[in-house]
Amino acid sequence: DPEDSQKMVVFYELDLGLNHVVRKLAVTVDPTAHALVAVPGGSDGPGGVLICAENNIAYKSFSNHTSQPEILCRIPNRRDEPNTMISSITAHKQKKMIFFMLSTEH
């Protein structure tokens, strides 16, 4: 039933030693979510995913097979604009910093 269904993000991990993929964690996300941005992990960054939805961006990560608290950021919009959605995303990595540039449809 589409009304009862939930949108989920599932975290998988590649085990190079055994050459297979392991499902680590599944979390429910905003039903208006429409884009995912991988956040580099390990020595390159904190790891996780940015989840873009109508009017907000959420950061989700996990460690030790448990979900960490979500960090939610509202997307500012003008009073006359209905819902704001992210339409374009790019990531840039420097030696000690990562930043993401996101643009809206307006």
Side-chain angles (χ1 to χ4, degrees), residues 30-49:
D30 187 322
T32 65
H34 60 274
L36 298 175
V37 183
V39 177
S43 62
D44 292 332
V49 66

Side-chain angles (χ1 to χ4, degrees), residues 15-29:
D15 186 338
L16 293 173
L18 299 174
N19 198 23
H20 75 284
V21 176
V22 179
R23 181 179 170 154
K24 292 294 185 179
L25 183 69
V27 293
T28 304
V29 296

